[in-house]
Every structure is written in C-alpha cells, then in structure tokens.
Amino acid sequence: MRDTAMRDARAFVVSATDVEEFRNLINGEWMQSSSKQPFDNANPADSTDIVGRFQASTAADAGLAVDAASAAFEAWKKTSVSKRAAILNRAADHLEAHADRIAREVTREMGKALNLARDEVLRSAQTLRFYAVEGQSLTGEVFPNDDADMTVYTLREPLGVVSIITPWNFPISIPARKIAPALITGNTVVFKPSSDAPLSGYRLAEALAVAGLPKGVLNFITGKAGEIGAAITEPPVIRAISFTGSTAAGEHICRSVRFTTRTQMELGGKNPLIVMDDADLDQAVDLTVKGGLSLAGQACTGTSRVLVMKQVRAEFTAKLVAKVKALKIGSGLAAGMDMGPLATAKQLETVLRYIAIGRREATLLCGGERLTGAGYDGGYYVSPAIFTDVTQQMTIAREEIFGPVIAIIEVDSYADAIAKANDTEYGLSAAIVTRNPRVMQDFANDIQSGTVKINRTTTGNLINAPFGGLKRSSTSTFRESGRTGLEFYTQIKTVYRGT
Ligand code: NAP
C-alpha cells in the first residue's frame, strides 16, 4: 500500500482555495468522508491562515474504520513481532527525515514554539523505536507446580480493535505513545485526533502507511466527537479505548462503554509546585515559568498552583513577576519567543473567563490581558496572569484552567503545603523545590500524585517510565509509557500444558 497511499494522500489538493484537503485512512485507502463536508483547521497565531481541510466524518465512516480494523486483526496478530518492529522503525525514519516540515505544521496548527514542536516530532520517532525494541521482549511467566509432566505458563496476546482518541496539546507525541504499543503487541487501531490539531496525527498515520503497515491495521479518521465519538467507542468489537483529554469527556466515555471494553483515560490536572523556605528561589521561579507557561499553560502537567512558604513569599513573588513580565510572546514560528498563542478560540474564551473570575477573587499582579496590535491581531494571545492572595476555596485554585494563569497560595509549614496540594480532585503531577533531603523523601510519600518531581518542573516525562495520574486525573487501571504501556494492550492466558 505504501506508494499508492502516499501518492493518493498528496494528490488531493483543493486548488480553488489552495488549502490542502487531507483524507481519512480507512482499510488502506485515503478516503473522503461520506459527508463530503470538510472542516478547516486554522493557525492560532493567525486565524486567517488555514493549515488544512479535514474530513468531517460521519458515524458511517467511523463504522467502516472499525470494520476495517476488525477484518485486519487476525492477520496482524499473526505477523511476527520483528516485522511489526521493522515497520515502527521505518515510520520513525520517515518522521526524522521530515522533522523540520512536520514541526512547522505542529506549530502552525496548535501554536507551540518551533523548537518544542521539533522536539515533539523527534520524541515521537524515539517512541516508535522504543516500542520496536521493548515490544519484542514482552514475556509471560512460568509457574512451578507439583506435576512433573506439566508446564504452566502465561501468554500475553493482543486484545483486538482498539480506539485511540487524542487532544491537541501534544498532537503527535501523545498519539505515538498510544499507537506504537498498540501495534507492536498485535492490535489493530482506529485513531481519532483532536479536531483542533488533526494534521500532526495525519502525519503520524502517513509515516506508518509509508512504512508498509498492512491495510486496515491503522485507520485514521477525523471528525467531531459529537458525530463519531460513540461509533468509535461503543461497538462491542472495540476491546479497548486509550483516551487523553478532558476529565468530563473521559468520564462520559467510561460511562457509555461496556465493561468488556478496557479503558485508559489520561485526563486533567491542577498541578501544584511547593516552594519551601530553603529553596533556591531563582530555581523555583525558573521551574514555575517553564512548568506553568512554556506551552502557554496548556500542558496537562503544567504548574497551575504555587504553594509558597510565607517566609519567602514576597521575594519569590517579586522575582516571578519580574521574570514573567520579561517573557517574549509571539508566534511559535518566530525565533526567540518564550510563549505562543492559545491553541483555539475556545481556549482563549475559557482562559479569559477564568482570568475575569480571578480578578474578582484574588489579586492580579501582572498580565491577564488579551494582546492586540501588530503581530497579535488574528491570533489568540493572552499575557500570562499571576494571581496572589489565592485561597483554597477560590475557583482559580480548584478548576483546571489550561492556560497561562498561575495562582500563588501562601503556606506556613510543610504540613500545610501538603494538605493544600492534596486538596484537589486531581492528581496528575506535583513538584517541590527544597534543599532538604528529608522533605524530598516525605514529599514523595505524602503527595497524592501520579508524577512526583523534586527540584524539577511539573511538566515532562520520560518515554521509558510509566506515566499517569491519581484521583480524577486518570483511570486507576493501566499506566502509559515505558514497559507498562504495553500491558494495557495485552491480555493474559494461563496455559497448563501436560505431556
Ligand atoms: P477534549 O475536549 O476532551 O478532547 C480530547 C479528544 O477527545 C478530542 O479528540 C475530542 O474530539 C475527543 N472527544 C471529546 N469527547 C468525546 C467523546 N464523547 N467521545 C469520543 N471522543 C471525544 O480535550 P482537549 O481540549 O482536546 O484537551 C485538553 C484536555 O486534555 C485538558 O483537560 C488536559 O488536562 C487534558 N490532557 C491530559 C493529558 C494527560 O496525559 N493526562 C495530556 C494532555 C491533555 P474533538 O476534538 O472532535 O472534540
């Protein structure tokens, strides 16, 4: 399918407007939706720049994708793991060879700085390579027993058809960390990217198609959740759903699927960073800015609450405000920018709404303005907002904002800091800045969070280590990433083999 797939995917250009139209990949064919009504994906730095036109798929299109994945399963399951690994490696080659172009597209469609976009593309290639190796050594266990003529062991086998649904903030690396372990373990996939950043996911699907993935093994389908969500989550043939997105959507999906469908939900966060009185305050400020603002606050693990010991609050706050005021805000494609636009018009509206709430609840120290004028008109730019005098009950201390808004909360002891940090329905990532080894150890034990950082940003995770949250940030079933990322996509059989 490789060459034809590439030719067909590239050939379909809407010449009238010069905006390229991208098709679904279903059963090895790059297809238009039966709706024949594509939707546009705009650049958040300049909404007049249309990045691409995508299929507004229908439930019928989604049904075709599910059927194709189902039909391809038996053969893919029997394909040797080394052949599957070779395809992942070739797809990684493709991403690396086109990293510059794809990185520009990532920036154009969701706004992050170009260097971060390039890192994300390369990290996605690295993820494919990681699972190409790790998937080849996934083993069962052998159990001692009293029958000398019997061997008892477990087999790990693929589940079948899995649905993969992803958000816009890491539009290629999140799909890669779900799709690679699904494919290497022998599952077939229906993949729906965010409607706000579908091109990056398209490029990943294209890389796998170019790499020689057999037809139907990966089906890529774009379209609004309201149209195709149920069709790719509710049919009984869907054996698993790996979803990353908002807690509301994740909970909705969990409620609507059968108990025989395995779910892995990576959801929201309200991530705290604690600044102890012995902290290096310059480091604490740096970690706050990098963790809270580098993706315009749109990382699920982004620093949202800073719990500062009262002895250092004034000094920390002054340093933070000075640093934030000096940040350069502009298009991610321009060199030297510290922060890009928000990713969508809806994000802009949500963030401005929370800033207005914050102005009523707490004290705004800087930022919080919609930016207009040269370089900003047509884009979704907001200056980073730092609020102080924030208390636990306030909305900006409790709800996920997912924007460049930081709430400073004063604490008077380690115990107070932990109590406040844990007083949230979320538990994705948390950090502390301290020089005290005892406090470091206590923090790792006391904090209710799936990711724990000590003198590091709340953001960022390794591809070879488990990732996931506690409480309403994740389902408490299977972790993503690393070796544990493979377990979600396999089921165990126990074999009793006599002579
Ligand atoms: P979202 O609105 O929940 O959408 C995420 C994806 O789910 C999109 O592809 C969306 O499709 C789809 N979707 C929504 N409702 C669905 C349904 N009922 N059935 C099937 N698919 C459905 O989230 P977002 O705004 O893209 O992303 C921001 C959120 O993601 C934040 O809450 C953030 O914390 C979270 N996030 C979590 C992690 C993590 O690892 N924990 C990582 C990144 C982001 P449409 O685009 O077509 O609506």
PDB file of all heavy atoms in Angstrom, residues 3 12 18 30 47 75 84 95 114 153 161 173 226 265 271 308 329 334 368 372 386-387 431-432 470 475 479:
ATOM      1  N   ASP A   3       3.323   3.041  -1.683  1.00  0.00           N
ATOM      2  CA  ASP A   3       3.473   4.092  -2.683  1.00  0.00           C
ATOM      3  C   ASP A   3       2.144   4.719  -3.075  1.00  0.00           C
ATOM      4  O   ASP A   3       1.994   5.928  -3.159  1.00  0.00           O
ATOM      5  CB  ASP A   3       4.174   3.540  -3.915  1.00  0.00           C
ATOM      6  CG  ASP A   3       5.606   3.210  -3.554  1.00  0.00           C
ATOM      7  OD1 ASP A   3       6.086   3.762  -2.551  1.00  0.00           O
ATOM      8  OD2 ASP A   3       6.222   2.411  -4.243  1.00  0.00           O
ATOM      9  N   PHE A  12      -4.473  14.998  -3.461  1.00  0.00           N
ATOM     10  CA  PHE A  12      -5.778  15.621  -3.280  1.00  0.00           C
ATOM     11  C   PHE A  12      -5.635  17.032  -2.728  1.00  0.00           C
ATOM     12  O   PHE A  12      -5.570  17.278  -1.538  1.00  0.00           O
ATOM     13  CB  PHE A  12      -6.632  14.760  -2.350  1.00  0.00           C
ATOM     14  CG  PHE A  12      -8.074  15.112  -2.453  1.00  0.00           C
ATOM     15  CD1 PHE A  12      -8.812  14.717  -3.554  1.00  0.00           C
ATOM     16  CD2 PHE A  12      -8.683  15.884  -1.483  1.00  0.00           C
ATOM     17  CE1 PHE A  12     -10.136  15.065  -3.667  1.00  0.00           C
ATOM     18  CE2 PHE A  12     -10.015  16.237  -1.592  1.00  0.00           C
ATOM     19  CZ  PHE A  12     -10.738  15.827  -2.683  1.00  0.00           C
ATOM     20  N   ASP A  18      -6.465  26.781  -2.580  1.00  0.00           N
ATOM     21  CA  ASP A  18      -5.083  26.470  -2.268  1.00  0.00           C
ATOM     22  C   ASP A  18      -4.882  25.918  -0.858  1.00  0.00           C
ATOM     23  O   ASP A  18      -3.798  25.963  -0.321  1.00  0.00           O
ATOM     24  CB  ASP A  18      -4.200  27.708  -2.453  1.00  0.00           C
ATOM     25  CG  ASP A  18      -3.079  27.385  -3.418  1.00  0.00           C
ATOM     26  OD1 ASP A  18      -3.163  26.325  -4.063  1.00  0.00           O
ATOM     27  OD2 ASP A  18      -2.133  28.181  -3.499  1.00  0.00           O
ATOM     28  N   TRP A  30      -6.881   6.235   1.204  1.00  0.00           N
ATOM     29  CA  TRP A  30      -7.090   7.613   1.673  1.00  0.00           C
ATOM     30  C   TRP A  30      -8.437   8.058   1.108  1.00  0.00           C
ATOM     31  O   TRP A  30      -8.576   8.234  -0.100  1.00  0.00           O
ATOM     32  CB  TRP A  30      -5.954   8.514   1.211  1.00  0.00           C
ATOM     33  CG  TRP A  30      -4.649   8.152   1.852  1.00  0.00           C
ATOM     34  CD1 TRP A  30      -3.667   7.388   1.307  1.00  0.00           C
ATOM     35  CD2 TRP A  30      -4.195   8.522   3.154  1.00  0.00           C
ATOM     36  NE1 TRP A  30      -2.624   7.249   2.201  1.00  0.00           N
ATOM     37  CE2 TRP A  30      -2.923   7.939   3.340  1.00  0.00           C
ATOM     38  CE3 TRP A  30      -4.724   9.281   4.201  1.00  0.00           C
ATOM     39  CZ2 TRP A  30      -2.182   8.102   4.512  1.00  0.00           C
ATOM     40  CZ3 TRP A  30      -3.980   9.436   5.368  1.00  0.00           C
ATOM     41  CH2 TRP A  30      -2.733   8.854   5.518  1.00  0.00           C
ATOM     42  N   SER A  47      -5.515  33.419  12.647  1.00  0.00           N
ATOM     43  CA  SER A  47      -6.646  32.559  12.291  1.00  0.00           C
ATOM     44  C   SER A  47      -7.059  32.679  10.820  1.00  0.00           C
ATOM     45  O   SER A  47      -7.904  31.917  10.355  1.00  0.00           O
ATOM     46  CB  SER A  47      -7.842  32.851  13.213  1.00  0.00           C
ATOM     47  OG  SER A  47      -8.153  34.218  13.144  1.00  0.00           O
ATOM     48  N   ALA A  75      -4.792 -11.365  10.866  1.00  0.00           N
ATOM     49  CA  ALA A  75      -3.517 -11.438  10.136  1.00  0.00           C
ATOM     50  C   ALA A  75      -2.429 -10.640  10.849  1.00  0.00           C
ATOM     51  O   ALA A  75      -1.269 -11.068  10.930  1.00  0.00           O
ATOM     52  CB  ALA A  75      -3.705 -10.918   8.709  1.00  0.00           C
ATOM     53  N   ARG A  84       6.615  -6.368  12.710  1.00  0.00           N
ATOM     54  CA  ARG A  84       5.914  -5.199  13.262  1.00  0.00           C
ATOM     55  C   ARG A  84       6.930  -4.148  13.706  1.00  0.00           C
ATOM     56  O   ARG A  84       6.757  -2.944  13.461  1.00  0.00           O
ATOM     57  CB  ARG A  84       5.074  -5.606  14.475  1.00  0.00           C
ATOM     58  CG  ARG A  84       3.905  -6.492  14.155  1.00  0.00           C
ATOM     59  CD  ARG A  84       3.114  -6.720  15.459  1.00  0.00           C
ATOM     60  NE  ARG A  84       2.532  -8.027  15.494  1.00  0.00           N
ATOM     61  CZ  ARG A  84       2.434  -8.795  16.580  1.00  0.00           C
ATOM     62  NH1 ARG A  84       2.906  -8.381  17.743  1.00  0.00           N
ATOM     63  NH2 ARG A  84       1.862  -9.968  16.534  1.00  0.00           N
ATOM     64  N   LEU A  95       9.557  10.022  10.053  1.00  0.00           N
ATOM     65  CA  LEU A  95       9.332  11.227  10.877  1.00  0.00           C
ATOM     66  C   LEU A  95      10.625  12.022  11.016  1.00  0.00           C
ATOM     67  O   LEU A  95      10.623  13.261  10.929  1.00  0.00           O
ATOM     68  CB  LEU A  95       8.816  10.845  12.263  1.00  0.00           C
ATOM     69  CG  LEU A  95       7.405  10.261  12.353  1.00  0.00           C
ATOM     70  CD1 LEU A  95       7.040   9.989  13.814  1.00  0.00           C
ATOM     71  CD2 LEU A  95       6.365  11.191  11.724  1.00  0.00           C
ATOM     72  N   LEU A 114       8.512  26.589  17.794  1.00  0.00           N
ATOM     73  CA  LEU A 114       9.023  25.646  16.798  1.00  0.00           C
ATOM     74  C   LEU A 114      10.032  24.654  17.389  1.00  0.00           C
ATOM     75  O   LEU A 114      10.024  23.468  17.042  1.00  0.00           O
ATOM     76  CB  LEU A 114       9.671  26.439  15.654  1.00  0.00           C
ATOM     77  CG  LEU A 114      10.007  25.687  14.382  1.00  0.00           C
ATOM     78  CD1 LEU A 114       8.810  24.946  13.821  1.00  0.00           C
ATOM     79  CD2 LEU A 114      10.553  26.668  13.334  1.00  0.00           C
ATOM     80  N   TYR A 153       2.201 -21.811  32.231  1.00  0.00           N
ATOM     81  CA  TYR A 153       2.782 -20.519  31.849  1.00  0.00           C
ATOM     82  C   TYR A 153       1.693 -19.569  31.350  1.00  0.00           C
ATOM     83  O   TYR A 153       0.583 -19.999  31.021  1.00  0.00           O
ATOM     84  CB  TYR A 153       3.864 -20.700  30.774  1.00  0.00           C
ATOM     85  CG  TYR A 153       3.388 -21.330  29.486  1.00  0.00           C
ATOM     86  CD1 TYR A 153       3.065 -20.534  28.386  1.00  0.00           C
ATOM     87  CD2 TYR A 153       3.254 -22.707  29.368  1.00  0.00           C
ATOM     88  CE1 TYR A 153       2.627 -21.101  27.198  1.00  0.00           C
ATOM     89  CE2 TYR A 153       2.814 -23.286  28.186  1.00  0.00           C
ATOM     90  CZ  TYR A 153       2.497 -22.483  27.103  1.00  0.00           C
ATOM     91  OH  TYR A 153       2.056 -23.044  25.937  1.00  0.00           O
ATOM     92  N   VAL A 161      -9.406  -4.864  18.370  1.00  0.00           N
ATOM     93  CA  VAL A 161      -9.516  -3.490  17.855  1.00  0.00           C
ATOM     94  C   VAL A 161      -9.461  -2.511  19.031  1.00  0.00           C
ATOM     95  O   VAL A 161     -10.207  -2.662  19.998  1.00  0.00           O
ATOM     96  CB  VAL A 161     -10.852  -3.299  17.104  1.00  0.00           C
ATOM     97  CG1 VAL A 161     -10.975  -1.859  16.606  1.00  0.00           C
ATOM     98  CG2 VAL A 161     -10.976  -4.287  15.959  1.00  0.00           C
ATOM     99  N   SER A 173       2.996  13.461  19.712  1.00  0.00           N
ATOM    100  CA  SER A 173       3.661  12.550  20.658  1.00  0.00           C
ATOM    101  C   SER A 173       2.659  11.729  21.469  1.00  0.00           C
ATOM    102  O   SER A 173       2.939  10.567  21.800  1.00  0.00           O
ATOM    103  CB  SER A 173       4.625  13.305  21.574  1.00  0.00           C
ATOM    104  OG  SER A 173       3.925  14.222  22.381  1.00  0.00           O
ATOM    105  N   GLY A 226     -18.889  14.704  18.588  1.00  0.00           N
ATOM    106  CA  GLY A 226     -20.344  14.528  18.624  1.00  0.00           C
ATOM    107  C   GLY A 226     -20.857  13.647  17.494  1.00  0.00           C
ATOM    108  O   GLY A 226     -21.886  12.984  17.628  1.00  0.00           O
ATOM    109  N   MET A 265      -7.635   6.245  30.604  1.00  0.00           N
ATOM    110  CA  MET A 265      -8.024   7.647  30.444  1.00  0.00           C
ATOM    111  C   MET A 265      -6.967   8.541  31.085  1.00  0.00           C
ATOM    112  O   MET A 265      -6.714   8.434  32.284  1.00  0.00           O
ATOM    113  CB  MET A 265      -9.362   7.896  31.162  1.00  0.00           C
ATOM    114  CG  MET A 265     -10.486   7.011  30.678  1.00  0.00           C
ATOM    115  SD  MET A 265     -11.226   7.671  29.185  1.00  0.00           S
ATOM    116  CE  MET A 265     -11.721   6.187  28.347  1.00  0.00           C
ATOM    117  N   ASN A 271      -2.014  21.084  38.847  1.00  0.00           N
ATOM    118  CA  ASN A 271      -0.735  20.632  39.399  1.00  0.00           C
ATOM    119  C   ASN A 271      -0.054  21.669  40.295  1.00  0.00           C
ATOM    120  O   ASN A 271       0.148  22.804  39.874  1.00  0.00           O
ATOM    121  CB  ASN A 271       0.175  20.255  38.243  1.00  0.00           C
ATOM    122  CG  ASN A 271      -0.556  19.362  37.258  1.00  0.00           C
ATOM    123  OD1 ASN A 271      -0.910  18.244  37.587  1.00  0.00           O
ATOM    124  ND2 ASN A 271      -0.835  19.869  36.065  1.00  0.00           N
ATOM    125  N   VAL A 308       3.642  28.649  48.364  1.00  0.00           N
ATOM    126  CA  VAL A 308       4.916  29.249  48.793  1.00  0.00           C
ATOM    127  C   VAL A 308       4.932  29.472  50.296  1.00  0.00           C
ATOM    128  O   VAL A 308       3.966  30.023  50.861  1.00  0.00           O
ATOM    129  CB  VAL A 308       5.134  30.630  48.120  1.00  0.00           C
ATOM    130  CG1 VAL A 308       6.581  31.056  48.274  1.00  0.00           C
ATOM    131  CG2 VAL A 308       4.755  30.607  46.680  1.00  0.00           C
ATOM    132  N   ILE A 329       6.305  37.204  23.908  1.00  0.00           N
ATOM    133  CA  ILE A 329       5.117  36.462  23.477  1.00  0.00           C
ATOM    134  C   ILE A 329       4.898  36.714  21.993  1.00  0.00           C
ATOM    135  O   ILE A 329       4.913  37.867  21.546  1.00  0.00           O
ATOM    136  CB  ILE A 329       3.881  36.922  24.277  1.00  0.00           C
ATOM    137  CG1 ILE A 329       4.152  36.695  25.774  1.00  0.00           C
ATOM    138  CG2 ILE A 329       2.630  36.163  23.854  1.00  0.00           C
ATOM    139  CD1 ILE A 329       3.186  37.399  26.676  1.00  0.00           C
ATOM    140  N   ALA A 334       8.244  32.365  15.070  1.00  0.00           N
ATOM    141  CA  ALA A 334       9.264  33.415  15.166  1.00  0.00           C
ATOM    142  C   ALA A 334      10.348  32.982  16.152  1.00  0.00           C
ATOM    143  O   ALA A 334      10.055  32.340  17.161  1.00  0.00           O
ATOM    144  CB  ALA A 334       8.610  34.709  15.633  1.00  0.00           C
ATOM    145  N   GLY A 368      -2.752  38.902  32.136  1.00  0.00           N
ATOM    146  CA  GLY A 368      -4.190  38.652  32.087  1.00  0.00           C
ATOM    147  C   GLY A 368      -4.917  39.439  31.016  1.00  0.00           C
ATOM    148  O   GLY A 368      -6.142  39.505  31.012  1.00  0.00           O
ATOM    149  N   THR A 372      -3.347  42.585  21.606  1.00  0.00           N
ATOM    150  CA  THR A 372      -3.780  43.014  20.273  1.00  0.00           C
ATOM    151  C   THR A 372      -2.689  43.908  19.672  1.00  0.00           C
ATOM    152  O   THR A 372      -1.726  44.251  20.348  1.00  0.00           O
ATOM    153  CB  THR A 372      -5.097  43.820  20.348  1.00  0.00           C
ATOM    154  OG1 THR A 372      -4.912  44.869  21.299  1.00  0.00           O
ATOM    155  CG2 THR A 372      -6.271  42.965  20.760  1.00  0.00           C
ATOM    156  N   ILE A 386      -0.464  36.350  36.754  1.00  0.00           N
ATOM    157  CA  ILE A 386      -0.021  35.843  38.062  1.00  0.00           C
ATOM    158  C   ILE A 386      -0.962  36.418  39.121  1.00  0.00           C
ATOM    159  O   ILE A 386      -1.080  37.636  39.267  1.00  0.00           O
ATOM    160  CB  ILE A 386       1.427  36.302  38.388  1.00  0.00           C
ATOM    161  CG1 ILE A 386       2.388  35.977  37.233  1.00  0.00           C
ATOM    162  CG2 ILE A 386       1.900  35.693  39.710  1.00  0.00           C
ATOM    163  CD1 ILE A 386       2.575  34.517  36.943  1.00  0.00           C
ATOM    164  N   PHE A 387      -1.632  35.514  39.820  1.00  0.00           N
ATOM    165  CA  PHE A 387      -2.530  35.934  40.898  1.00  0.00           C
ATOM    166  C   PHE A 387      -1.903  35.605  42.247  1.00  0.00           C
ATOM    167  O   PHE A 387      -1.297  34.526  42.408  1.00  0.00           O
ATOM    168  CB  PHE A 387      -3.866  35.180  40.806  1.00  0.00           C
ATOM    169  CG  PHE A 387      -4.763  35.680  39.703  1.00  0.00           C
ATOM    170  CD1 PHE A 387      -4.829  35.015  38.486  1.00  0.00           C
ATOM    171  CD2 PHE A 387      -5.546  36.812  39.882  1.00  0.00           C
ATOM    172  CE1 PHE A 387      -5.655  35.464  37.470  1.00  0.00           C
ATOM    173  CE2 PHE A 387      -6.382  37.270  38.862  1.00  0.00           C
ATOM    174  CZ  PHE A 387      -6.434  36.604  37.658  1.00  0.00           C
ATOM    175  N   ALA A 431       5.222  19.049  42.196  1.00  0.00           N
ATOM    176  CA  ALA A 431       6.659  19.269  42.384  1.00  0.00           C
ATOM    177  C   ALA A 431       6.918  20.017  43.685  1.00  0.00           C
ATOM    178  O   ALA A 431       6.039  20.689  44.222  1.00  0.00           O
ATOM    179  CB  ALA A 431       7.223  20.061  41.203  1.00  0.00           C
ATOM    180  N   ILE A 432       8.165  19.893  44.161  1.00  0.00           N
ATOM    181  CA  ILE A 432       8.611  20.653  45.335  1.00  0.00           C
ATOM    182  C   ILE A 432      10.001  21.199  45.039  1.00  0.00           C
ATOM    183  O   ILE A 432      10.784  20.551  44.320  1.00  0.00           O
ATOM    184  CB  ILE A 432       8.603  19.772  46.608  1.00  0.00           C
ATOM    185  CG1 ILE A 432       8.722  20.641  47.855  1.00  0.00           C
ATOM    186  CG2 ILE A 432       9.716  18.730  46.574  1.00  0.00           C
ATOM    187  CD1 ILE A 432       8.358  19.900  49.145  1.00  0.00           C
ATOM    188  N   LEU A 470      -3.372  10.130  39.521  1.00  0.00           N
ATOM    189  CA  LEU A 470      -4.232   9.564  40.549  1.00  0.00           C
ATOM    190  C   LEU A 470      -5.558  10.336  40.553  1.00  0.00           C
ATOM    191  O   LEU A 470      -5.722  11.315  39.833  1.00  0.00           O
ATOM    192  CB  LEU A 470      -3.569   9.680  41.927  1.00  0.00           C
ATOM    193  CG  LEU A 470      -2.156   9.093  42.063  1.00  0.00           C
ATOM    194  CD1 LEU A 470      -1.649   9.260  43.497  1.00  0.00           C
ATOM    195  CD2 LEU A 470      -2.129   7.618  41.664  1.00  0.00           C
ATOM    196  N   THR A 475      -7.765   6.981  34.829  1.00  0.00           N
ATOM    197  CA  THR A 475      -8.358   5.753  35.338  1.00  0.00           C
ATOM    198  C   THR A 475      -7.257   5.032  36.118  1.00  0.00           C
ATOM    199  O   THR A 475      -6.089   5.115  35.758  1.00  0.00           O
ATOM    200  CB  THR A 475      -8.833   4.854  34.185  1.00  0.00           C
ATOM    201  OG1 THR A 475      -7.925   4.988  33.102  1.00  0.00           O
ATOM    202  CG2 THR A 475     -10.230   5.179  33.734  1.00  0.00           C
ATOM    203  N   ARG A 479      -1.021   2.252  33.352  1.00  0.00           N
ATOM    204  CA  ARG A 479      -0.193   3.413  33.065  1.00  0.00           C
ATOM    205  C   ARG A 479       0.196   3.445  31.587  1.00  0.00           C
ATOM    206  O   ARG A 479       0.286   2.398  30.934  1.00  0.00           O
ATOM    207  CB  ARG A 479       1.088   3.359  33.904  1.00  0.00           C
ATOM    208  CG  ARG A 479       0.843   3.673  35.369  1.00  0.00           C
ATOM    209  CD  ARG A 479       0.593   5.142  35.533  1.00  0.00           C
ATOM    210  NE  ARG A 479       0.403   5.572  36.900  1.00  0.00           N
ATOM    211  CZ  ARG A 479      -0.759   5.971  37.405  1.00  0.00           C
ATOM    212  NH1 ARG A 479      -1.853   5.914  36.678  1.00  0.00           N
ATOM    213  NH2 ARG A 479      -0.846   6.427  38.630  1.00  0.00           N
TER     214      ARG A 479
END
